[in-house]
Amino acid sequence: MSDAGYVRIFDTTLRDGEQSPGATMTSKEKLEVAKTLSRLGVDVIEAGFPAASPDDLRAVKSIAETVGVDPVQGRRGDALPVVCGLARAAKGDLDKCWEAVSPAKRPRIHTFLATSPIHREHKLRMSKAEVVAKVTEMVGYARSLCEDVEFSPEDAGRTEMDFLYEVLAAAIEAGATTLNIPDTVGYTLPHEFGERIRLLKENVPGIEKAVISVHCHNDLGLATANSLSGVLNGARQVEVAINGIGERAGNTSLEEIVMALHTRHALLGLDTGIDTTQLTRASKLVSKVTGMVVQPNKAIVGANAFAHEAGIHQDGMLKNEETYEIMRPETVGAARTQLVLGKHSGRHAFGARLTELGYPLEGDALQKAFARFKVLADKKKRITDADLVALVSDELYKPVEYVTLEGLQVACGSMGLPTATVRLRDAEGEEHVIAKVGTGPVDAVFKAIDELCEVDLELLEYTVQSVTEGIDALGEVSVRVRPKGEGAASKMNPQREGEEVRVYHGHGTDTDIIQASAKAYLSALNRLMAAREAARKAA
Ligand code: KIV
Ligand code: ZN
């Protein structure tokens, strides 16, 4: 494969993606996502923004020390991914970034400075000359630390072309090896964005020494189209996020770009290093750990992406699948549900299937997952791959548990007030029980949990989906909550003073959706408590 036809996939799920409201991930979850990205075959993992907080720095460093050093099981080829960190164009940020990424065998510093008139005048209060001087100084400093330096002129989509030529030439001169062109606010149209890349290629002195990259936001729903247009005009790196998550309407979605290049290979002749069969799994993992549910009609990874409802389509599909399918579900790892295991399956078969699915559990973790599998197999005859993934990932990505669910009973229907009795155990092992009424059984459960934990949470989002089809399917509940008001600290609710009002997500799976709802709500609450605990320690 010639380098000219190779499009590098730079994944920013852990940085720009994590900037989506409520998508905060724990360090453990970030590491798990990084392993999945490496297995998927991405060229660059933007692991975070180390100067944002000590926690962010630690998370990037731990990715650099692991995924950046040892190949993960299942990654194709020998090349390790580049581990990259983002830094503002400031010495302090660059030092922290270098501290975090330097343990990786292939570290990269990505630094940025806004260049558009509106950012220069209102945000930076800097003249054009000052911007150029800062770029020269800070890219040069980054290059003195690291051989691989990426520079982004933030809001390039709205920057005067002549000024972009000047800034990018200065960045190359100072040692930038990749020039990333962000459409930060998702403003451009595909033909315009492509034209910008073509003009940069033609007019920036020394640009042939650098890789041109594109980073498009989806405010007008054009991120994938704009990125493709950039590639068609010479960009050879695309910045993407799994499921297209990111600031506001998100980033270009990794799976869309990869499958566009793959499906239209005959026309475009461009390749990526992505193992497309891992796309669905990566999408599910990111959805789970960020709490950002994938819309059913989302291209490539939505639940309906390969579903055919209309009779005329079904008839066509039976005659020849290509009548209505431009990609095979297997190609993106979305094989149609298969019956894999049942009540009589043993631990060995269970463990082997999990390993095949990319969850190589051992020892205690395998034992616990197997015990959960047996409980599920008693309730559900046909255990599919999707059930297995839901079962183990619930356990793997559980936040630290300050409060656990010990028991739950609800009474509901049209004959009385929906009532929930909830029993929780706190971090010191003490049990707390309460009964509450609500507008429905889920409301009653959430009210009971709120009262026991002395919290007042605003429920921003509640979704329930079935993992597979059938009356005995597992229900997957996702919630997003935000603390409202203030209250006294307590054992169950350690700290609230001065806390940043953030959105927390939670996820729960069970054949009983009320139980799944309680698990999801408690998982969000445990994330909130972990954040309070971290704030208390940092204070
Ligand atoms: O959207 C943007 O401009 C960014 C830069 C930091 C690359 O995310
Ligand atoms: Zn961005």
Side-chain angles (χ1 to χ4, degrees):
M1 189 194 313
S2 82
D3 190 54
Y6 186 75
V7 179
R8 294 156 188 81
I9 299 295
F10 174 116
D11 182 277
T12 186
T13 306
L14 293 168
R15 200 277 297 167
D16 211 318
E18 214 221 1
Q19 287 171 221
S20 318
T24 322
M25 296 170 238
T26 63
S27 299
K28 187 174 159 212
E29 289 167 341
K30 286 181 186 172
L31 189 56
E32 214 45 56
V33 171
K35 284 185 191 160
T36 297
L37 292 173
S38 180
R39 194 171 300 118
L40 190 59
V42 306
D43 301 275
V44 187
I45 298 173
E46 187 165 50
F49 189 176
S53 75
D55 247 16
D56 284 69
L57 193 152
R58 267 193 299 277
V60 176
K61 196 167 184 185
S62 99
I63 291 169
E65 287 166 345
T66 52
V67 177
V69 171
D70 293 314
V72 295
Q73 195 189 3
R75 182 175 168 95
R76 286 178 181 163
D78 304 327
L80 284 162
V82 170
V83 177
C84 172
L86 184 72
R88 283 166 296 199
K91 274 197 168 168
D93 270 36
L94 292 164
D95 287 335
K96 289 204 169 90
C97 187
W98 180 236
E99 181 188 337
V101 298
S102 54
K105 289 215 169 111
R106 302 177 67 203
R108 175 180 295 184
I109 295 179
H110 176 192
T111 188
F112 70 100
L113 186 65
T115 49
S116 64
I118 188 154
H119 280 244
R120 287 194 317 261
E121 282 156 33
H122 299 280
K123 188 178 90 176
L124 301 176
R125 296 182 199 281
M126 282 168 84
S127 67
K128 284 184 175 174
E130 286 168 328
V131 169
V132 174
K134 184 87 157 166
V135 168
T136 301
E137 187 192 349
M138 291 305 145
V139 170
Y141 182 65
R143 189 58 204 260
S144 74
L145 302 170
C146 181
E147 294 228 313
D148 186 349
V149 174
E150 173 168 332
F151 171 70
S152 292
E154 192 190 6
D155 204 14
R158 293 188 299 172
T159 301
E160 309 90 321
M161 285 311 291
D162 283 348
F163 185 50
L164 266 187
Y165 302 154
E166 193 184 339
V167 172
L168 294 177
I172 296 168
E173 188 69 27
T177 44
T178 298
L179 297 175
N180 179 45
I181 311 305
D183 182 14
T184 304
V185 289
Y187 177 71
T188 60
L189 302 181
H191 71 282
E192 258 181 307
F193 191 71
E195 176 73 353
R196 284 192 160 238
I197 302 300
R198 186 183 68 75
L199 288 171
L200 292 177
K201 244 189 123 165
E202 284 171 8
N203 293 295
V204 177
I207 198 149
E208 65 292 342
K209 290 188 251 167
V211 173
I212 305 179
S213 167
V214 289
H215 175 113
C216 298
H217 279 269
N218 204 28
D219 299 67
L220 293 173
L222 294 171
T224 301
N226 284 349
S227 296
L228 264 183
S229 181
V231 168
L232 296 182
N233 283 281
R236 284 297 175 267
Q237 175 178 286
V238 186
E239 302 204 351
V240 290
I242 302 280
N243 298 336
I245 65 170
E247 280 281 4
R248 306 180 310 279
N251 281 93
T252 303
S253 119
L254 181 149
E255 56 279 4
E256 290 175 16
I257 275 288
V258 166
M259 289 313 291
L261 296 179
H262 181 94
T263 308
R264 302 307 308 274
H265 192 267
L267 179 72
L268 305 175
L270 297 169
D271 296 282
T272 70
I274 298 296
D275 174 358
T276 60
T277 63
Q278 300 281 334
L279 288 171
T280 303
R281 180 179 170 225
S283 161
K284 284 192 191 316
L285 169 64
V286 169
S287 171
K288 182 150 288 189
V289 299
T290 58
M292 311 234 357
V293 177
V294 175
Q295 74 195 60
N297 60 329
K298 165 84 178 64
I300 321 294
V301 291
N304 293 348
F306 296 96
H308 302 271
E309 188 74 28
I312 194 162
H313 286 207
Q314 289 177 349
D315 181 51
M317 285 287 293
L318 289 172
K319 291 176 176 145
N320 181 338
E321 282 159 348
E322 283 181 25
T323 49
Y324 287 102
E325 237 169 38
I326 58 164
M327 300 165 268
R328 305 283 307 130
E330 299 78 40
T331 311
V332 300
R336 303 195 202 284
T337 323
Q338 320 150 1
L339 172 68
V340 285
L341 296 172
K343 171 177 182 160
H344 302 292
S345 307
R347 199 167 57 139
H348 182 72
F350 173 74
R353 187 64 197 142
L354 281 181
T355 304
E356 278 164 23
L357 290 170
Y359 297 89
L361 299 189
E362 282 172 0
D364 197 37
L366 177 61
Q367 193 51 46
K368 275 193 186 152
F370 187 61
R372 281 160 59 83
F373 162 74
K374 282 290 181 187
V375 172
L376 180 63
D378 266 343
K379 297 185 194 161
K380 191 173 188 297
K381 276 192 224 113
R382 297 155 31 100
I383 309 265
T384 65
D385 287 350
D387 292 320
L388 287 181
V389 170
L391 185 98
V392 295
S393 46
D394 238 22
E395 194 61 32
L396 281 176
Y397 310 122
K398 215 164 34 184
V400 178
E401 289 191 301
Y402 292 85
V403 191
T404 48
L405 182 66
E406 287 297 306
L408 168 67
Q409 188 168 6
V410 294
C412 60
S414 54
M415 308 282 287
L417 289 173
T419 310
T421 307
V422 174
R423 182 181 308 126
L424 301 180
R425 187 183 295 275
D426 68 24
E428 282 154 28
E430 216 173 295
E431 283 199 354
H432 305 256
V433 186
I434 203 170
K436 292 295 284 183
V437 294
T439 52
V442 173
D443 184 48
V445 169
F446 291 179
K447 284 202 169 107
I449 294 176
D450 276 1
E451 187 147 332
L452 279 181
C453 298
E454 297 166 26
V455 289
D456 194 7
L457 301 183
E458 186 183 358
L459 183 64
L460 301 173
E461 202 178 294
Y462 172 88
T463 56
V464 53
Q465 280 183 321
S466 86
V467 173
T468 49
E469 59 282 351
I471 193 73
D472 57 356
L474 276 175
E476 243 180 349
V477 174
S478 291
V479 299
R480 293 160 86 75
V481 299
R482 184 169 48 202
K484 47 180 183 187
E486 293 293 320
S490 71
K491 205 162 36 174
M492 304 271 273
N493 179 24
Q495 167 81 19
R496 39 190 344 160
E497 247 165 61
E499 92 184 6
E500 188 193 343
V501 181
R502 273 173 40 189
V503 177
Y504 298 87
H505 69 268
H507 214 84
T509 312
D510 204 284
T511 47
D512 174 338
I513 58 163
I514 307 295
Q515 187 94 6
S517 304
K519 287 182 186 171
Y521 199 72
L522 278 173
S523 135
L525 189 56
N526 278 314
R527 280 175 197 275
L528 162 68
M529 289 180 173
R532 286 181 177 166
E533 186 65 17
R536 192 180 58 74
K537 282 189 186 145

